[in-house]
Amino acid sequence: MMELRDLYRDVIVDHNRNPRNAGRLEQADHEAHGDNPLCGDQLDITLQMEGDVIHDIRHQGRGCAISTASASLMSEAVKGKSRQEVENLFEQVHAMLTQANGPVPTELGKLAALAGVREFPARVKCASLCWHTLNAALAGQGRTISTE
Amino acid sequence: MLDVAKIRAEFPILARKIRNRPLVYLDSAASAQRPRAVIEAISGYYEQHHSNVHRGVHTLSQEATELFEGAREKVRRFLNAATHREIVFVRGTTEAINLVAQSWGSSQLGPGDEVLITWLEHHANIVPWQQACARTGATLRVIPIDRRGVVDQQAFREMLGPRTRMLAISHVSNALGTVLPVREMVAAARELGVTTLVDGAQGVPHGPVDVQDLGCDFYCFSGHKLYGPTGIGVLYAREAVLEHMPPWQGGGDMILNVSFEGTTYNELPYRFEAGTPNIAGAVGLGAAIDWFCALDHHAVAAHEAMLLAHATERLQQVPGLTLVGTAPGKASVVSFTIDGIHPHDLGTILDGEGVAIRTGHHCAMPVMKFFDLPATARASFAVYNTTAEVDALIDALGVAREMLG
Ligand SMILES: Cc1ncc(COP(=O)(O)O)c(C=O)c1O
């Protein structure tokens, strides 16, 4: 049986209390809005690209500890990464969140703190909202994405 | 006094453990649990009596028909409806309101007409009316609420007018627990000849309802919130209104005669029950009504009021906690938020302590928007809950504050 401490690990509690890269980039060249209608979570991602690489990122919204911490951890992980690298990372995060007993790749670093979420299926969308929103921002559709 | 220990023993699920803790079920407003009497009525029906209803001459078909119609009679008595012709079996409150909004709405609404609802309606009493208005050109108007979650009666009186065709209101708000003055509101509407619908999903679980005393044209509820099965509910419709409504769905059971030249429709209420109904659900609902009506209703009301008072007092002592919905005379529902902890985290952490509450928008997004909240946590109390369970909720909130606060 999964313990709640495995879900709310110290890293998550810390990133929820003090989210990194919080706010909006005034000079953003990409942005997207994400909604999780089930929880009422909302998230705005703003990006500044340098060629193919994420030069800077901010996230702002309101959501639960899992979604806030996930956005914060993601923002640290993707800064300075190319689109292709972000895509690979997203695939690994997605696999970690949804595959019950799969190994957690060491390359994930701090993002591995979210591994406990997979024991709580109702909460997977909280952790993945930021990644879907980031994808929408990178795709430049500038539209609202929804987890539903 | 309600013998709560004896009542609890009748609910097998209450013996369950959740994450190695005794289950503390505080989500009965979403769906109540079922006593053994209901579970056995359903399995007994399937083991001994099942067949299709209204069609066969064989013994089982007659027994199934008698049980099904017997359940209708139990509902009639429960609501004090004048005749069984006014009791339509549906899937639940949602389907009941859709039936009215489509059948009554399409024949009675037109451009310039107004449908009045309140700000605290469940989506089930908003969306069908939006759709009906879109189809017919009628206008949906919303009666405001105040910061306590009380419906503004003065605004209601001002909005009620010659254009109003329908007043559709909750009996009790699921998100806030507010009990609406339905009798007075219905009376004011009827004086102007306005048709009235009461969404009783959260009304009936707290005590018997007399539709003739309420004076409404339609009253809807769901079996699963009344300790009965899912997938069965009731539309009460005053015969004088129902008989002028066009059929809703077409098919078997709702006809008397079908030829390719035309069809004559069956009498009430069967005209509104196309297809094989949820027979076992109706039987289970009948058993739930029998079970519920055998309780002492003054004792039930006193017990629920005591749980609500105890919960309210203890919750107010939790640092950072805000109660959402503070109407006087509330039903046994408490919605709240805690500073710095999202309701979804609360829900997950409480579940870890065995405490089941509801978190989210409670299918009442306009209410959440009114209070400028994305979501609330909601605990609701039923006949089988105890003060010790309220205390377990408070302890679990302490765990959440320690973990995330
Ligand atoms: C006030 C109210 N109306 C309508 C409904 C819808 O009931 P059902 O989902 O059983 O159709 C509910 C249930 O959540 C409710 O609380």
PDB file of all heavy atoms in Angstrom, chain A residues 5 7-22 59 64-66 68-73 76 110 113-114, chain B residues 402-405:
ATOM      1  N   ARG A   5       2.882   9.816   2.176  1.00  0.00           N
ATOM      2  CA  ARG A   5       4.177  10.502   2.156  1.00  0.00           C
ATOM      3  C   ARG A   5       4.916  10.271   0.848  1.00  0.00           C
ATOM      4  O   ARG A   5       5.790  11.042   0.463  1.00  0.00           O
ATOM      5  CB  ARG A   5       5.031  10.038   3.337  1.00  0.00           C
ATOM      6  CG  ARG A   5       4.816  10.864   4.577  1.00  0.00           C
ATOM      7  CD  ARG A   5       5.516  12.216   4.426  1.00  0.00           C
ATOM      8  NE  ARG A   5       5.084  13.166   5.431  1.00  0.00           N
ATOM      9  CZ  ARG A   5       5.046  14.479   5.228  1.00  0.00           C
ATOM     10  NH1 ARG A   5       5.359  14.997   4.066  1.00  0.00           N
ATOM     11  NH2 ARG A   5       4.680  15.289   6.189  1.00  0.00           N
ATOM     12  N   LEU A   7       3.379  10.280  -1.979  1.00  0.00           N
ATOM     13  CA  LEU A   7       2.775  11.229  -2.918  1.00  0.00           C
ATOM     14  C   LEU A   7       3.271  12.633  -2.594  1.00  0.00           C
ATOM     15  O   LEU A   7       3.780  13.348  -3.455  1.00  0.00           O
ATOM     16  CB  LEU A   7       1.251  11.155  -2.815  1.00  0.00           C
ATOM     17  CG  LEU A   7       0.473  12.094  -3.727  1.00  0.00           C
ATOM     18  CD1 LEU A   7       0.763  11.777  -5.195  1.00  0.00           C
ATOM     19  CD2 LEU A   7      -1.019  11.972  -3.460  1.00  0.00           C
ATOM     20  N   TYR A   8       3.093  13.007  -1.338  1.00  0.00           N
ATOM     21  CA  TYR A   8       3.493  14.364  -0.925  1.00  0.00           C
ATOM     22  C   TYR A   8       4.914  14.337  -0.368  1.00  0.00           C
ATOM     23  O   TYR A   8       5.138  14.540   0.817  1.00  0.00           O
ATOM     24  CB  TYR A   8       2.498  14.915   0.092  1.00  0.00           C
ATOM     25  CG  TYR A   8       1.110  15.089  -0.494  1.00  0.00           C
ATOM     26  CD1 TYR A   8       0.068  14.234  -0.161  1.00  0.00           C
ATOM     27  CD2 TYR A   8       0.857  16.102  -1.419  1.00  0.00           C
ATOM     28  CE1 TYR A   8      -1.195  14.383  -0.710  1.00  0.00           C
ATOM     29  CE2 TYR A   8      -0.412  16.261  -1.978  1.00  0.00           C
ATOM     30  CZ  TYR A   8      -1.430  15.404  -1.618  1.00  0.00           C
ATOM     31  OH  TYR A   8      -2.666  15.556  -2.171  1.00  0.00           O
ATOM     32  N   ARG A   9       5.869  14.005  -1.249  1.00  0.00           N
ATOM     33  CA  ARG A   9       7.264  13.978  -0.810  1.00  0.00           C
ATOM     34  C   ARG A   9       7.745  15.393  -0.504  1.00  0.00           C
ATOM     35  O   ARG A   9       7.159  16.369  -0.966  1.00  0.00           O
ATOM     36  CB  ARG A   9       8.142  13.378  -1.913  1.00  0.00           C
ATOM     37  CG  ARG A   9       7.845  11.909  -2.113  1.00  0.00           C
ATOM     38  CD  ARG A   9       8.648  11.322  -3.240  1.00  0.00           C
ATOM     39  NE  ARG A   9       8.036  10.046  -3.589  1.00  0.00           N
ATOM     40  CZ  ARG A   9       8.475   9.247  -4.548  1.00  0.00           C
ATOM     41  NH1 ARG A   9       9.534   9.582  -5.264  1.00  0.00           N
ATOM     42  NH2 ARG A   9       7.865   8.121  -4.796  1.00  0.00           N
ATOM     43  N   ASP A  10       8.847  15.469   0.206  1.00  0.00           N
ATOM     44  CA  ASP A  10       9.349  16.786   0.611  1.00  0.00           C
ATOM     45  C   ASP A  10       9.559  17.707  -0.588  1.00  0.00           C
ATOM     46  O   ASP A  10       9.282  18.900  -0.520  1.00  0.00           O
ATOM     47  CB  ASP A  10      10.661  16.633   1.398  1.00  0.00           C
ATOM     48  CG  ASP A  10      10.403  15.983   2.754  1.00  0.00           C
ATOM     49  OD1 ASP A  10       9.237  15.983   3.187  1.00  0.00           O
ATOM     50  OD2 ASP A  10      11.361  15.475   3.365  1.00  0.00           O
ATOM     51  N   VAL A  11      10.074  17.131  -1.684  1.00  0.00           N
ATOM     52  CA  VAL A  11      10.338  17.955  -2.871  1.00  0.00           C
ATOM     53  C   VAL A  11       9.030  18.598  -3.359  1.00  0.00           C
ATOM     54  O   VAL A  11       8.997  19.780  -3.728  1.00  0.00           O
ATOM     55  CB  VAL A  11      10.922  17.079  -4.008  1.00  0.00           C
ATOM     56  CG1 VAL A  11      11.128  17.902  -5.266  1.00  0.00           C
ATOM     57  CG2 VAL A  11      12.208  16.416  -3.562  1.00  0.00           C
ATOM     58  N   ILE A  12       7.958  17.819  -3.325  1.00  0.00           N
ATOM     59  CA  ILE A  12       6.678  18.321  -3.822  1.00  0.00           C
ATOM     60  C   ILE A  12       6.121  19.384  -2.885  1.00  0.00           C
ATOM     61  O   ILE A  12       5.666  20.443  -3.328  1.00  0.00           O
ATOM     62  CB  ILE A  12       5.697  17.137  -3.972  1.00  0.00           C
ATOM     63  CG1 ILE A  12       6.312  16.190  -4.996  1.00  0.00           C
ATOM     64  CG2 ILE A  12       4.304  17.628  -4.334  1.00  0.00           C
ATOM     65  CD1 ILE A  12       5.392  15.364  -5.772  1.00  0.00           C
ATOM     66  N   VAL A  13       6.196  19.093  -1.604  1.00  0.00           N
ATOM     67  CA  VAL A  13       5.708  20.069  -0.629  1.00  0.00           C
ATOM     68  C   VAL A  13       6.495  21.375  -0.770  1.00  0.00           C
ATOM     69  O   VAL A  13       5.932  22.471  -0.764  1.00  0.00           O
ATOM     70  CB  VAL A  13       5.822  19.493   0.802  1.00  0.00           C
ATOM     71  CG1 VAL A  13       5.529  20.565   1.839  1.00  0.00           C
ATOM     72  CG2 VAL A  13       4.868  18.313   0.973  1.00  0.00           C
ATOM     73  N   ASP A  14       7.788  21.248  -0.946  1.00  0.00           N
ATOM     74  CA  ASP A  14       8.640  22.434  -1.091  1.00  0.00           C
ATOM     75  C   ASP A  14       8.282  23.224  -2.357  1.00  0.00           C
ATOM     76  O   ASP A  14       8.108  24.441  -2.308  1.00  0.00           O
ATOM     77  CB  ASP A  14      10.113  21.978  -1.123  1.00  0.00           C
ATOM     78  CG  ASP A  14      11.039  23.122  -1.481  1.00  0.00           C
ATOM     79  OD1 ASP A  14      10.816  24.225  -0.950  1.00  0.00           O
ATOM     80  OD2 ASP A  14      11.968  22.913  -2.291  1.00  0.00           O
ATOM     81  N   HIS A  15       8.140  22.530  -3.481  1.00  0.00           N
ATOM     82  CA  HIS A  15       7.833  23.236  -4.730  1.00  0.00           C
ATOM     83  C   HIS A  15       6.408  23.805  -4.721  1.00  0.00           C
ATOM     84  O   HIS A  15       6.130  24.767  -5.429  1.00  0.00           O
ATOM     85  CB  HIS A  15       8.034  22.315  -5.941  1.00  0.00           C
ATOM     86  CG  HIS A  15       9.465  22.266  -6.386  1.00  0.00           C
ATOM     87  ND1 HIS A  15       9.926  22.905  -7.515  1.00  0.00           N
ATOM     88  CD2 HIS A  15      10.547  21.671  -5.824  1.00  0.00           C
ATOM     89  CE1 HIS A  15      11.223  22.692  -7.645  1.00  0.00           C
ATOM     90  NE2 HIS A  15      11.623  21.935  -6.622  1.00  0.00           N
ATOM     91  N   ASN A  16       5.522  23.203  -3.924  1.00  0.00           N
ATOM     92  CA  ASN A  16       4.175  23.762  -3.801  1.00  0.00           C
ATOM     93  C   ASN A  16       4.226  25.054  -2.997  1.00  0.00           C
ATOM     94  O   ASN A  16       3.589  26.046  -3.338  1.00  0.00           O
ATOM     95  CB  ASN A  16       3.251  22.739  -3.125  1.00  0.00           C
ATOM     96  CG  ASN A  16       1.858  23.307  -2.879  1.00  0.00           C
ATOM     97  OD1 ASN A  16       1.255  23.889  -3.771  1.00  0.00           O
ATOM     98  ND2 ASN A  16       1.359  23.152  -1.664  1.00  0.00           N
ATOM     99  N   ARG A  17       5.035  25.027  -1.926  1.00  0.00           N
ATOM    100  CA  ARG A  17       5.112  26.233  -1.085  1.00  0.00           C
ATOM    101  C   ARG A  17       5.855  27.356  -1.784  1.00  0.00           C
ATOM    102  O   ARG A  17       5.477  28.513  -1.688  1.00  0.00           O
ATOM    103  CB  ARG A  17       5.848  25.897   0.215  1.00  0.00           C
ATOM    104  CG  ARG A  17       4.971  25.172   1.191  1.00  0.00           C
ATOM    105  CD  ARG A  17       5.505  25.328   2.616  1.00  0.00           C
ATOM    106  NE  ARG A  17       4.825  24.368   3.475  1.00  0.00           N
ATOM    107  CZ  ARG A  17       5.452  23.423   4.180  1.00  0.00           C
ATOM    108  NH1 ARG A  17       6.764  23.326   4.128  1.00  0.00           N
ATOM    109  NH2 ARG A  17       4.775  22.590   4.919  1.00  0.00           N
ATOM    110  N   ASN A  18       6.922  26.978  -2.479  1.00  0.00           N
ATOM    111  CA  ASN A  18       7.754  27.992  -3.145  1.00  0.00           C
ATOM    112  C   ASN A  18       7.972  27.609  -4.598  1.00  0.00           C
ATOM    113  O   ASN A  18       9.044  27.116  -4.963  1.00  0.00           O
ATOM    114  CB  ASN A  18       9.129  28.092  -2.464  1.00  0.00           C
ATOM    115  CG  ASN A  18       8.996  28.303  -0.978  1.00  0.00           C
ATOM    116  OD1 ASN A  18       8.436  29.306  -0.542  1.00  0.00           O
ATOM    117  ND2 ASN A  18       9.477  27.335  -0.202  1.00  0.00           N
ATOM    118  N   PRO A  19       6.967  27.822  -5.413  1.00  0.00           N
ATOM    119  CA  PRO A  19       7.119  27.411  -6.823  1.00  0.00           C
ATOM    120  C   PRO A  19       8.238  28.202  -7.506  1.00  0.00           C
ATOM    121  O   PRO A  19       8.337  29.419  -7.322  1.00  0.00           O
ATOM    122  CB  PRO A  19       5.766  27.749  -7.446  1.00  0.00           C
ATOM    123  CG  PRO A  19       4.847  28.089  -6.327  1.00  0.00           C
ATOM    124  CD  PRO A  19       5.679  28.451  -5.144  1.00  0.00           C
ATOM    125  N   ARG A  20       9.081  27.476  -8.242  1.00  0.00           N
ATOM    126  CA  ARG A  20      10.154  28.134  -9.003  1.00  0.00           C
ATOM    127  C   ARG A  20       9.582  28.632 -10.328  1.00  0.00           C
ATOM    128  O   ARG A  20       8.682  28.011 -10.886  1.00  0.00           O
ATOM    129  CB  ARG A  20      11.293  27.153  -9.285  1.00  0.00           C
ATOM    130  CG  ARG A  20      11.626  26.177  -8.157  1.00  0.00           C
ATOM    131  CD  ARG A  20      12.194  26.854  -6.908  1.00  0.00           C
ATOM    132  NE  ARG A  20      12.818  25.856  -6.036  1.00  0.00           N
ATOM    133  CZ  ARG A  20      12.218  25.243  -5.015  1.00  0.00           C
ATOM    134  NH1 ARG A  20      10.968  25.553  -4.709  1.00  0.00           N
ATOM    135  NH2 ARG A  20      12.864  24.327  -4.307  1.00  0.00           N
ATOM    136  N   ASN A  21      10.156  29.706 -10.835  1.00  0.00           N
ATOM    137  CA  ASN A  21       9.750  30.265 -12.135  1.00  0.00           C
ATOM    138  C   ASN A  21       8.261  30.604 -12.191  1.00  0.00           C
ATOM    139  O   ASN A  21       7.610  30.446 -13.215  1.00  0.00           O
ATOM    140  CB  ASN A  21      10.096  29.310 -13.290  1.00  0.00           C
ATOM    141  CG  ASN A  21      11.571  28.993 -13.341  1.00  0.00           C
ATOM    142  OD1 ASN A  21      12.404  29.903 -13.353  1.00  0.00           O
ATOM    143  ND2 ASN A  21      11.911  27.712 -13.328  1.00  0.00           N
ATOM    144  N   ALA A  22       7.720  31.057 -11.052  1.00  0.00           N
ATOM    145  CA  ALA A  22       6.302  31.405 -11.045  1.00  0.00           C
ATOM    146  C   ALA A  22       6.096  32.782 -11.665  1.00  0.00           C
ATOM    147  O   ALA A  22       6.965  33.640 -11.576  1.00  0.00           O
ATOM    148  CB  ALA A  22       5.783  31.399  -9.609  1.00  0.00           C
ATOM    149  N   HIS A  59       5.314  29.924 -15.150  1.00  0.00           N
ATOM    150  CA  HIS A  59       3.993  29.298 -15.029  1.00  0.00           C
ATOM    151  C   HIS A  59       3.218  30.029 -13.946  1.00  0.00           C
ATOM    152  O   HIS A  59       3.798  30.463 -12.941  1.00  0.00           O
ATOM    153  CB  HIS A  59       4.119  27.812 -14.674  1.00  0.00           C
ATOM    154  CG  HIS A  59       4.785  27.578 -13.364  1.00  0.00           C
ATOM    155  ND1 HIS A  59       4.096  27.382 -12.203  1.00  0.00           N
ATOM    156  CD2 HIS A  59       6.113  27.549 -13.028  1.00  0.00           C
ATOM    157  CE1 HIS A  59       4.956  27.231 -11.198  1.00  0.00           C
ATOM    158  NE2 HIS A  59       6.189  27.329 -11.679  1.00  0.00           N
ATOM    159  N   CYS A  64      -3.886  22.389  -7.263  1.00  0.00           N
ATOM    160  CA  CYS A  64      -3.516  21.640  -6.066  1.00  0.00           C
ATOM    161  C   CYS A  64      -1.998  21.560  -5.942  1.00  0.00           C
ATOM    162  O   CYS A  64      -1.259  22.025  -6.807  1.00  0.00           O
ATOM    163  CB  CYS A  64      -4.115  20.241  -6.142  1.00  0.00           C
ATOM    164  SG  CYS A  64      -3.496  19.288  -7.521  1.00  0.00           S
ATOM    165  N   ALA A  65      -1.536  20.960  -4.855  1.00  0.00           N
ATOM    166  CA  ALA A  65      -0.101  20.846  -4.601  1.00  0.00           C
ATOM    167  C   ALA A  65       0.589  20.067  -5.711  1.00  0.00           C
ATOM    168  O   ALA A  65       1.693  20.413  -6.141  1.00  0.00           O
ATOM    169  CB  ALA A  65       0.137  20.167  -3.254  1.00  0.00           C
ATOM    170  N   ILE A  66      -0.076  19.017  -6.189  1.00  0.00           N
ATOM    171  CA  ILE A  66       0.538  18.186  -7.230  1.00  0.00           C
ATOM    172  C   ILE A  66       0.713  18.999  -8.517  1.00  0.00           C
ATOM    173  O   ILE A  66       1.765  18.958  -9.152  1.00  0.00           O
ATOM    174  CB  ILE A  66      -0.330  16.941  -7.511  1.00  0.00           C
ATOM    175  CG1 ILE A  66      -0.583  16.150  -6.229  1.00  0.00           C
ATOM    176  CG2 ILE A  66       0.304  16.057  -8.578  1.00  0.00           C
ATOM    177  CD1 ILE A  66       0.633  15.623  -5.547  1.00  0.00           C
ATOM    178  N   THR A  68       0.766  22.303  -8.916  1.00  0.00           N
ATOM    179  CA  THR A  68       1.698  23.430  -8.734  1.00  0.00           C
ATOM    180  C   THR A  68       3.147  22.931  -8.702  1.00  0.00           C
ATOM    181  O   THR A  68       4.026  23.482  -9.378  1.00  0.00           O
ATOM    182  CB  THR A  68       1.373  24.183  -7.423  1.00  0.00           C
ATOM    183  OG1 THR A  68       0.007  24.587  -7.454  1.00  0.00           O
ATOM    184  CG2 THR A  68       2.267  25.394  -7.250  1.00  0.00           C
ATOM    185  N   ALA A  69       3.388  21.870  -7.940  1.00  0.00           N
ATOM    186  CA  ALA A  69       4.749  21.344  -7.835  1.00  0.00           C
ATOM    187  C   ALA A  69       5.213  20.782  -9.172  1.00  0.00           C
ATOM    188  O   ALA A  69       6.367  20.951  -9.568  1.00  0.00           O
ATOM    189  CB  ALA A  69       4.811  20.260  -6.761  1.00  0.00           C
ATOM    190  N   SER A  70       4.290  20.142  -9.882  1.00  0.00           N
ATOM    191  CA  SER A  70       4.664  19.571 -11.174  1.00  0.00           C
ATOM    192  C   SER A  70       5.074  20.673 -12.149  1.00  0.00           C
ATOM    193  O   SER A  70       6.082  20.549 -12.861  1.00  0.00           O
ATOM    194  CB  SER A  70       3.482  18.759 -11.729  1.00  0.00           C
ATOM    195  OG  SER A  70       3.839  18.166 -12.952  1.00  0.00           O
ATOM    196  N   ALA A  71       4.325  21.771 -12.165  1.00  0.00           N
ATOM    197  CA  ALA A  71       4.672  22.884 -13.065  1.00  0.00           C
ATOM    198  C   ALA A  71       6.016  23.488 -12.671  1.00  0.00           C
ATOM    199  O   ALA A  71       6.839  23.838 -13.528  1.00  0.00           O
ATOM    200  CB  ALA A  71       3.562  23.943 -13.025  1.00  0.00           C
ATOM    201  N   SER A  72       6.229  23.599 -11.374  1.00  0.00           N
ATOM    202  CA  SER A  72       7.483  24.171 -10.897  1.00  0.00           C
ATOM    203  C   SER A  72       8.678  23.284 -11.278  1.00  0.00           C
ATOM    204  O   SER A  72       9.690  23.758 -11.821  1.00  0.00           O
ATOM    205  CB  SER A  72       7.397  24.344  -9.375  1.00  0.00           C
ATOM    206  OG  SER A  72       8.639  24.704  -8.836  1.00  0.00           O
ATOM    207  N   LEU A  73       8.538  21.976 -11.023  1.00  0.00           N
ATOM    208  CA  LEU A  73       9.616  21.037 -11.368  1.00  0.00           C
ATOM    209  C   LEU A  73       9.851  21.013 -12.873  1.00  0.00           C
ATOM    210  O   LEU A  73      10.987  20.973 -13.339  1.00  0.00           O
ATOM    211  CB  LEU A  73       9.242  19.630 -10.874  1.00  0.00           C
ATOM    212  CG  LEU A  73       9.307  19.438  -9.351  1.00  0.00           C
ATOM    213  CD1 LEU A  73       8.534  18.184  -8.936  1.00  0.00           C
ATOM    214  CD2 LEU A  73      10.763  19.341  -8.889  1.00  0.00           C
ATOM    215  N   GLU A  76      11.883  24.001 -14.162  1.00  0.00           N
ATOM    216  CA  GLU A  76      13.333  23.855 -13.942  1.00  0.00           C
ATOM    217  C   GLU A  76      13.936  22.873 -14.935  1.00  0.00           C
ATOM    218  O   GLU A  76      15.026  23.091 -15.458  1.00  0.00           O
ATOM    219  CB  GLU A  76      13.600  23.334 -12.527  1.00  0.00           C
ATOM    220  CG  GLU A  76      13.386  24.366 -11.449  1.00  0.00           C
ATOM    221  CD  GLU A  76      13.910  23.885 -10.104  1.00  0.00           C
ATOM    222  OE1 GLU A  76      13.873  22.665  -9.824  1.00  0.00           O
ATOM    223  OE2 GLU A  76      14.361  24.735  -9.327  1.00  0.00           O
ATOM    224  N   LYS A 110      14.949  15.368 -10.436  1.00  0.00           N
ATOM    225  CA  LYS A 110      13.961  15.761  -9.436  1.00  0.00           C
ATOM    226  C   LYS A 110      12.526  15.421  -9.845  1.00  0.00           C
ATOM    227  O   LYS A 110      11.652  15.252  -8.998  1.00  0.00           O
ATOM    228  CB  LYS A 110      14.052  17.266  -9.170  1.00  0.00           C
ATOM    229  CG  LYS A 110      15.047  17.601  -8.063  1.00  0.00           C
ATOM    230  CD  LYS A 110      14.709  18.941  -7.440  1.00  0.00           C
ATOM    231  CE  LYS A 110      15.670  20.025  -7.893  1.00  0.00           C
ATOM    232  NZ  LYS A 110      15.252  21.364  -7.495  1.00  0.00           N
ATOM    233  N   ALA A 113      10.296  12.756  -8.295  1.00  0.00           N
ATOM    234  CA  ALA A 113       9.515  12.927  -7.063  1.00  0.00           C
ATOM    235  C   ALA A 113       8.024  12.751  -7.328  1.00  0.00           C
ATOM    236  O   ALA A 113       7.244  12.510  -6.412  1.00  0.00           O
ATOM    237  CB  ALA A 113       9.769  14.303  -6.459  1.00  0.00           C
ATOM    238  N   LEU A 114       7.638  12.879  -8.615  1.00  0.00           N
ATOM    239  CA  LEU A 114       6.216  12.751  -8.945  1.00  0.00           C
ATOM    240  C   LEU A 114       5.786  11.307  -9.162  1.00  0.00           C
ATOM    241  O   LEU A 114       4.621  11.037  -9.461  1.00  0.00           O
ATOM    242  CB  LEU A 114       5.906  13.567 -10.208  1.00  0.00           C
ATOM    243  CG  LEU A 114       5.900  15.088 -10.002  1.00  0.00           C
ATOM    244  CD1 LEU A 114       6.057  15.800 -11.335  1.00  0.00           C
ATOM    245  CD2 LEU A 114       4.628  15.539  -9.297  1.00  0.00           C
TER     246      LEU A 114
ATOM    247  N   GLU B 402      -0.730  19.436   8.706  1.00  0.00           N
ATOM    248  CA  GLU B 402       0.650  19.122   9.054  1.00  0.00           C
ATOM    249  C   GLU B 402       1.457  18.810   7.790  1.00  0.00           C
ATOM    250  O   GLU B 402       2.605  19.220   7.642  1.00  0.00           O
ATOM    251  CB  GLU B 402       0.639  17.891   9.945  1.00  0.00           C
ATOM    252  CG  GLU B 402       1.721  17.835  10.981  1.00  0.00           C
ATOM    253  CD  GLU B 402       1.398  16.728  11.959  1.00  0.00           C
ATOM    254  OE1 GLU B 402       0.574  16.963  12.864  1.00  0.00           O
ATOM    255  OE2 GLU B 402       1.926  15.619  11.756  1.00  0.00           O
ATOM    256  N   MET B 403       0.838  18.083   6.869  1.00  0.00           N
ATOM    257  CA  MET B 403       1.562  17.640   5.676  1.00  0.00           C
ATOM    258  C   MET B 403       1.806  18.781   4.700  1.00  0.00           C
ATOM    259  O   MET B 403       2.864  18.895   4.103  1.00  0.00           O
ATOM    260  CB  MET B 403       0.760  16.522   5.004  1.00  0.00           C
ATOM    261  CG  MET B 403       1.609  15.572   4.194  1.00  0.00           C
ATOM    262  SD  MET B 403       0.628  14.220   3.503  1.00  0.00           S
ATOM    263  CE  MET B 403       0.586  13.074   4.840  1.00  0.00           C
ATOM    264  N   LEU B 404       0.805  19.644   4.525  1.00  0.00           N
ATOM    265  CA  LEU B 404       0.896  20.651   3.472  1.00  0.00           C
ATOM    266  C   LEU B 404       0.839  22.086   3.956  1.00  0.00           C
ATOM    267  O   LEU B 404       1.109  23.010   3.189  1.00  0.00           O
ATOM    268  CB  LEU B 404      -0.241  20.453   2.460  1.00  0.00           C
ATOM    269  CG  LEU B 404      -0.169  19.207   1.588  1.00  0.00           C
ATOM    270  CD1 LEU B 404      -1.298  19.224   0.584  1.00  0.00           C
ATOM    271  CD2 LEU B 404       1.164  19.108   0.870  1.00  0.00           C
ATOM    272  N   GLY B 405       0.414  22.291   5.191  1.00  0.00           N
ATOM    273  CA  GLY B 405       0.151  23.662   5.648  1.00  0.00           C
ATOM    274  C   GLY B 405       1.421  24.489   5.811  1.00  0.00           C
ATOM    275  O   GLY B 405       2.525  24.010   5.707  1.00  0.00           O
TER     276      GLY B 405
END
